[in-house]
């Protein structure tokens, strides 16, 4: 059952619809017994949707939620955030914080 949810979440992220991605993620989690790799991918997809919309507060919230859930942020998550920050003026300090979190 996980694969259709992941596919629908990816489609919603491409359509810049983080609300739909979050809704699908909630449905997936409600079903229970979600594997770690699927959970990490779900967080990546939700974060990407927020970045695609320019909603960096939302993206940072997802990043923090991921960590709070015990999921180690992936390289993809860092890449999405850094790429988003690079494309938007005024996010230099946020990029610096993220780089420090990466140990760079």
């Amino acid at each position: 059952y996980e694969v259709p949810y992941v596919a629908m979440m990816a489609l919603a992220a491409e359509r810049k619809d983080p609300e739909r991605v979050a809704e699908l993620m909630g449905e997936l989690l409600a079903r229970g017994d979600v594997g770690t790799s699927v959970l990490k991918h779900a967080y990546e997809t939700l974060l990407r949707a927020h970045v695609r919309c320019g909603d960096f507060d939302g993206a940072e919230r997802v990043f923090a939620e991921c960590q709070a859930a015990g999921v180690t942020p992936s390289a993809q998550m860092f890449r999405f955030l850094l790429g988003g920050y690079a494309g938007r003026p005024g996010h230099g300090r946020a990029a610096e914080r993220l780089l420090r979190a990466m140990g760079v």
Side-chain angles (χ1 to χ4, degrees):
Y1 68 88
E2 294 171 344
V3 173
Y5 275 97
V6 170
M8 289 186 297
M9 289 172 65
L11 180 61
E14 285 301 313
R15 292 182 176 168
K16 299 180 180 181
D17 189 353
E19 292 81 15
R20 179 66 178 143
V21 177
E23 179 182 320
L24 290 164
M25 185 173 172
E27 290 175 16
L28 176 64
L29 294 175
R31 298 190 93 176
D33 196 30
V34 177
T36 303
S37 64
V38 172
L39 184 59
K40 183 176 281 195
H41 186 71
Y43 278 114
E44 287 172 357
T45 304
L46 182 55
L47 186 140
R48 182 169 53 104
H50 281 286
V51 169
R52 287 182 52 80
C53 291
D55 177 14
F56 292 97
D57 290 338
E60 290 174 13
R61 188 174 52 254
V62 170
F63 191 85
E65 288 172 9
C66 174
Q67 292 176 308
V71 177
T72 303
S74 67
Q76 280 287 81
M77 295 174 101
F78 285 104
R79 187 178 70 80
F80 292 146
L81 277 171
L82 285 174
Y85 290 146
R88 301 278 198 277
H91 287 91
R93 290 194 193 278
E96 288 173 9
R97 280 194 315 270
L98 188 61
L99 288 169
R100 278 194 302 277
M102 293 171 63
V104 176

